[in-house]
Amino acid sequence: MPFNLVLKKCIKTMALKQLKAYSLQAIKMVFCTSLYTIFLMCVSFCFGQQKQAERIYFDSEMESKSIPSFEIFSMNPEGKEIRQHTFDAVPRRANTSPKFSPDGEHVIFGTYKYGGYKVAIAKSDFSQQRKFTKGPHYTYVGSWSPDGKKVAYNKVDTKNAPYYQGDFEIFVTELDGTSDINLSNTKGSDFGPIWSPDGRKIFFGSDRSGNSDIYEMDADGKNVKNLTNTMDVDEFGFSLSPDGSMIAFHAIPKKGQKRYIDLYTMSSDGSGRKNLTHNQNAKRNLFVPYYEGAPPIFYGTSWSSDGKTIAFSSKRNSPNFQVFTIGLNGQELKQLTHNKGNNVFPVWHSR
């Protein structure tokens, strides 16, 4: 065969091999790109679902008519997609403070519709509601035990009517109602019980020392410890971070002209106190939607599931309370509600 034909045949063979190599490489690139695209879509979808599933529940007057009352609403962390969950609050009273069970299947909340304030229980969509606490005494929402088998709550401790007057005590009841134990049983009011994530301790507020402080005790009521111990300052409206390492709370000096309500954080052992808000206009005007003389149990704080953001309510920008969020560094302050009614007691919930 002539040399030039052999050369052409070799070149053609080499070209085909090179073309096949390029084609195989191109197929690999397309395949890898497709896999990467699918991965990004899955991550985006999962992240979007996670963001969408996280909501802030709160009490609001936004749908009140001539006689104000509070219903439970929720919104996403940007203050959008507002939904109403309860529709039967007694006028001038409230459905309030939802707390979801660890498995997300049930919710407890405060209500007046059973005659005086009681704790109700329902499915997590607020269906199948029924009274949870028993007896005529006023009772208020506390928290679920980590295993979901018990509820800590507040009961007004009095033997006779009126059943809304008396010391607040902390009770723990089994979910099936088989036991109901007074853990605090002291003079003064003990309120807002919150279980630690490991179930070993309960954090609570109390005015037993003459002012409102934050305490801890063992889950059986023993080994009580004052974490704040500030005679000249009231601390209230506290919540525990998801990992149990930090506490968010409100505080206000008891005396002096600069009596501003500020939002603080501290470690769960009481150390590392930090002011996040440094308010100059949210003066003490404790908003009590239930009855005069109630303790400042009604100022609430709540943590996002990642423990990086705190929700709270404030009058800093308006005559009415609005819901805000703020980062742990005191930055990234966001106002989430803007309606004319009061919006209080935010509760972060991830489904």
Side-chain angles (χ1 to χ4, degrees), residues 221-280:
K222 298 178 181 179
N223 298 318
V224 177
K225 179 182 179 182
N226 189 336
L227 298 178
T228 50
N229 200 24
T230 51
M231 293 300 297
D232 57 343
V233 177
D234 282 330
E235 291 94 359
F236 49 90
F238 67 95
S239 61
L240 199 62
S241 63
D243 64 1
S245 66
M246 298 185 70
I247 297 174
F249 61 98
H250 291 287
I252 185 172
K254 295 185 69 173
K255 298 179 180 179
Q257 295 181 345
K258 295 183 178 180
R259 301 182 66 207
Y260 304 112
I261 297 173
D262 273 309
L263 177 69
Y264 288 78
T265 59
M266 66 180 182
S267 296
S268 58
D269 63 1
S271 64
R273 188 182 181 109
K274 180 181 179 181
N275 189 339
L276 299 186
T277 51
H278 298 282
N279 285 328
Q280 294 298 312

Side-chain angles (χ1 to χ4, degrees), residues 308-310 324-335:
K308 296 180 179 180
T309 308
I310 300 167
F324 293 79
T325 57
I326 194 170
L328 293 186
N329 57 0
Q331 304 297 317
E332 302 172 5
L333 179 69
K334 296 180 182 178
Q335 182 175 339

Side-chain angles (χ1 to χ4, degrees), residues 22-81:
Y22 285 150
S23 298
L24 184 59
Q25 185 177 3
I27 291 171
K28 289 181 178 179
M29 290 181 63
V30 170
F31 180 74
C32 292
T33 302
S34 299
L35 285 179
Y36 184 67
T37 301
I38 293 171
F39 171 76
L40 289 179
M41 290 174 64
C42 290
V43 169
S44 177
F45 174 79
C46 293
F47 181 77
Q49 288 293 98
Q50 182 180 7
K51 295 288 286 186
Q52 186 180 14
E54 196 164 49
R55 296 185 66 80
I56 298 173
Y57 288 73
F58 62 103
D59 301 358
S60 179
E61 295 175 308
M62 71 174 75
E63 295 296 330
S64 294
K65 307 302 180 184
S66 58
I67 302 178
S69 62
F70 284 81
E71 298 286 6
I72 297 172
F73 291 76
S74 71
M75 58 188 168
N76 67 21
E78 300 300 321
K80 308 296 183 182
E81 300 177 7

Side-chain angles (χ1 to χ4, degrees), residues 53-120:
E54 196 164 49
R55 296 185 66 80
I56 298 173
Y57 288 73
F58 62 103
D59 301 358
S60 179
E61 295 175 308
M62 71 174 75
E63 295 296 330
S64 294
K65 307 302 180 184
S66 58
I67 302 178
S69 62
F70 284 81
E71 298 286 6
I72 297 172
F73 291 76
S74 71
M75 58 188 168
N76 67 21
E78 300 300 321
K80 308 296 183 182
E81 300 177 7
I82 294 177
R83 303 170 190 166
Q84 185 173 349
H85 299 282
T86 61
F87 300 86
D88 56 1
V90 175
R92 295 192 179 93
R93 297 296 187 267
N95 289 317
T96 177
S97 309
K99 299 295 175 62
F100 293 86
S101 59
D103 63 7
E105 295 295 320
H106 292 87
V107 60
I108 54 174
F109 62 99
T111 184
Y112 201 85
K113 61 190 176 186
Y114 299 119
Y117 272 101
K118 302 292 189 296
V119 178

